Amino acid sequence: MTVSTIILAAGKGTRMKSPTPKILHKIAGKHLIAFSIDLAKDVKSKEIIVVVNDENEQSTKTALLGEQAMFCSQKRPLGTGDAVKIALKCFKIKSKYTLVLYGDTPFIKNNTIKKMVSKAEEGFEFIFLGFQAETKNSYGKFKLGPKRTLIDIIEKNEPEYNSAKSLSNSGILLAKSNILGDLIQKIRNDNSRGEYYLTDIVKMATKYGHSSTYVQCEEDECIGVNSQLESSIAERKFQDGFRKKLMASGVSMPSPETCFFSHDTVIEGGCVIEPYVFFGTGVKIQSSTIIKSYSHIEGTHIGKNCQIGPFARLRPGTNLSGEVKVGNFVEVKNASLASKTKANHLTYIGDAKIGANTNIGAGTIFCNYDGKNKNRTVVGNNVFIGSNASLIAPLKIGDASIVAAGSAINRDVPSESLAIARPMQQNKLGLGKKIMLKLQKVTNKIWK
Ligand code: UD1
Ligand code: MG
């Protein structure tokens, strides 16, 4: 069975009260619209059309660069029926079925769509997705006929609307393309909102002798994002599910509700995630690594048996091999640390390659930016960098060398050498006491 997908995303999204288009708000680091695109791909859509408006068209195209979607603009939001009518004209291939998804409904499962497909295979021409809502709401309501047939969907504020008991309409529709194309032309906007309702297609189908039915799913799956509050509810649902999956795969998390993950976070079994850790996108962690509290990690790969944090910040481009230690108040960006290397305290490592078994002392700063360009530092194996060193890039520090504490190093250091770059210390005997007396900080008595 061939399917093409329309994703409706031309609504104004005014309730978000944000300059960012609604569908470009993120859940677990992923744009809302990308959830629907992924679902459309999962169901093997021949084509995917995203219906955008003039305001979100450019930013949506940029956010979805490289995706197999086409864009089609609805100049004025005249209703979901109008949006589908416009989209149908944009298809290049004729698929037997058309799936309509919403750009703001991120959690519809592939399995649910498969159930809708089975109904289509039984011969139904329109299959809507519905759910039993826990609380009173303003969704469209299913009007059912005998044998699970659907004879109408009643929108709020229309005569006959009855929010009690009836199943709510999620908005998701699977329809036989040629009949959808036919009936969509017949929809009128003579209703309380003056909009072309896609849901009127059911009434039309009944009138012209076509069959409609529904599939029911959990309410949770149909969560839509229309406001910042709903966005936070969707985020919580995602996080709860993700934490459960991680724990089921052997990740220890004593306080899961305090840890936040991205849609693409990969953590292998045997890892421990202490309370209050945040994972941005692009993080992969191999087994038996411990991430201590208050660490913030994004765009980073971490090997086995590492110890990270507390209070570590790992930024994009960080690559840590096995048994690396990155301690408190250490920031790493675009840098690789080979196995058993340690940076335990108060350090900035940027644009660097560090060998194995090297020690980066407390307070070391990799000075990677000269005000114009970013420069790289390469540090060898078995190197000891003393505390409070400034390593001024571009720079190479050879294997088994030592950099003395407090040094500002701006010339390459050959292997096995000691580099020391700080002013020579002088001790002026008796001068301390003389100054103290002069400043009256102490009296002569204390030395008697
Ligand atoms: C719609 C359904 C309702 C269902 C509810 C589920 C209709 C008439 N009603 O109502 O039965 O219970 O969704 O959430 O379809 N959009 C466009 N162009 C437009 C209008 C909307 O692309 O002209 C897009 C929006 O961006 C959104 C989706 O269509 O992604 C739904 O639009 P919305 O206005 O939120 O529909 P509801 O009134 O919630
Ligand atoms: Mg809505």
Side-chain angles (χ1 to χ4, degrees):
M1 187 177 107
T2 55
V3 181
S4 285
T5 299
I6 298 170
I7 301 174
L8 300 187
K12 288 281 172 209
T14 41
R15 278 176 288 163
M16 294 303 278
K17 300 198 173 148
S18 160
T20 304
K22 174 166 83 172
I23 50 165
L24 297 185
H25 279 69
K26 288 180 179 175
I27 302 292
K30 176 169 169 176
H31 291 122
L32 265 178
I33 181 85
F35 285 86
S36 306
I37 297 273
D38 283 352
L39 178 59
K41 288 196 291 198
D42 285 347
V43 303
K44 307 212 165 17
S45 303
K46 291 274 169 224
E47 280 184 298
I48 303 171
I49 302 279
V50 184
V51 185
V52 286
N53 59 37
D54 280 351
E55 279 153 43
N56 66 16
E57 180 168 2
Q58 212 37 56
S59 46
T60 307
K61 279 182 178 166
T62 308
L64 295 179
L65 210 67
E67 289 289 0
Q68 63 158 107
M70 295 185 296
F71 297 85
C72 173
S73 185
Q74 186 191 25
K75 299 286 170 216
R76 285 186 301 145
L78 297 179
T80 49
D82 179 65
V84 167
K85 187 160 52 171
I86 290 171
L88 286 172
K89 285 187 206 141
C90 297
F91 281 127
K92 294 203 174 86
I93 308 170
K94 285 208 181 325
S95 292
K96 192 166 179 197
Y97 285 89
T98 301
L99 175 66
V100 180
L101 301 176
Y102 285 0
D104 61 0
T105 308
F107 300 135
I108 306 289
K109 293 181 185 146
N110 191 358
N111 244 348
T112 302
I113 304 295
K114 280 186 184 152
K115 285 182 195 158
M116 295 172 78
V117 168
S118 305
K119 291 281 175 198
E121 282 164 349
E122 279 173 36
F124 286 101
E125 285 147 332
F126 293 92
I127 303 107
F128 271 86
L129 179 64
F131 60 94
Q132 190 65 63
E134 289 272 309
T135 50
K136 213 171 163 226
N137 56 54
S138 55
Y139 290 110
K141 299 293 173 200
F142 285 174
K143 189 172 165 188
L144 302 182
K147 295 190 187 158
R148 289 178 71 103
T149 53
L150 191 54
I151 50 175
D152 201 356
I153 299 177
I154 318 287
E155 293 298 319
K156 192 172 177 191
N157 298 329
E158 303 305 328
E160 271 196 80
Y161 187 79
N162 172 13
S163 69
K165 285 198 190 141
S166 329
L167 287 177
S168 297
N169 174 30
S170 72
I172 310 305
L173 163 68
L174 180 68
K176 204 161 180 192
S177 304
N178 56 350
I179 303 171
L180 175 67
D182 238 16
L183 298 188
I184 202 92
Q185 308 296 335
K186 302 189 193 300
I187 289 176
R188 297 282 161 262
N189 64 347
D190 49 358
N191 50 50
S192 67
R193 268 159 52 190
E195 282 185 13
Y196 295 89
Y197 292 159
L198 174 61
T199 43
D200 278 354
I201 206 89
V202 180
K203 208 166 17 209
M204 294 294 165
T206 310
K207 187 169 163 190
Y208 290 92
H210 297 292
S211 53
S212 306
T213 188
Y214 66 94
V215 161
Q216 190 175 338
C217 70
E218 294 298 315
E219 183 174 10
D220 255 19
E221 220 179 305
C222 301
I223 288 179
V225 175
N226 294 296
S227 62
Q228 301 295 343
L229 178 65
E230 286 176 359
S231 170
S232 77
I233 291 168
E235 179 76 43
R236 195 174 319 141
K237 176 183 154 51
F238 180 94
Q239 294 296 337
D240 282 347
F242 203 85
R243 291 165 186 142
K244 280 182 189 146
K245 268 192 219 153
L246 282 179
M247 288 186 282
S249 72
V251 175
S252 303
M253 237 186 286
S255 184
E257 67 286 359
T258 65
C259 298
F260 288 82
F261 302 90
S262 282
H263 63 101
D264 61 351
T265 307
V266 177
I267 304 178
E268 289 183 0
C271 289
V272 179
I273 312 298
E274 287 189 356
Y276 298 100
V277 176
F278 177 89
F279 295 92
T281 53
V283 176
K284 280 195 180 136
I285 306 179
Q286 287 179 270
S287 60
S288 306
T289 278
I290 171 163
I291 312 290
K292 298 187 177 179
S293 294
Y294 302 104
S295 294
H296 187 286
I297 303 174
E298 53 187 329
T300 289
H301 289 192
I302 304 177
K304 290 181 185 173
N305 292 305
C306 292
Q307 278 192 43
I308 310 299
F311 297 98
R313 178 161 187 218
L314 304 180
R315 293 172 52 201
T318 297
N319 217 313
L320 310 180
S321 303
E323 295 177 62
V324 161
K325 281 189 181 173
V326 173
N328 39 259
F329 307 107
V330 174
E331 175 179 345
V332 185
K333 186 217 77 174
N334 191 28
S336 62
L337 278 63
S339 60
K340 296 190 180 174
T341 280
K342 292 179 192 160
N344 272 332
H345 342 257
L346 300 158
T347 284
Y348 172 64
I349 300 171
D351 301 305
K353 179 175 179 217
I354 304 177
N357 209 27
T358 281
N359 188 83
I360 309 293
T364 298
I365 303 295
F366 283 59
C367 310
N368 57 330
Y369 185 51
D370 59 15
K372 192 170 173 211
N373 297 308
K374 296 277 173 67
N375 299 301
R376 276 184 79 70
T377 300
V378 179
V379 180
N381 301 317
N382 302 306
V383 172
F384 183 90
I385 310 284
S387 294
N388 200 31
S390 299
L391 306 180
I392 303 167
L395 189 66
K396 279 193 181 124
I397 298 179
D399 291 344
S401 54
I402 297 174
V403 168
S407 293
I409 303 291
N410 66 348
R411 281 166 38 211
D412 289 354
V413 179
S415 295
E416 299 175 16
S417 43
L418 168 74
I420 178 161
R422 60 189 185 211
M424 187 74 84
Q425 181 174 334
Q426 295 178 39
N427 290 339
K428 307 220 169 175
L429 298 182
L431 190 56
K433 178 179 173 184
K434 221 165 143 182
I435 293 169
M436 286 295 198
L437 287 171
K438 196 170 167 189
L439 295 175
Q440 296 185 325
K441 291 251 188 224
V442 294
T443 66
N444 224 348
K445 277 181 210 153
I446 68 164
W447 281 291
K448 277 180 183 163

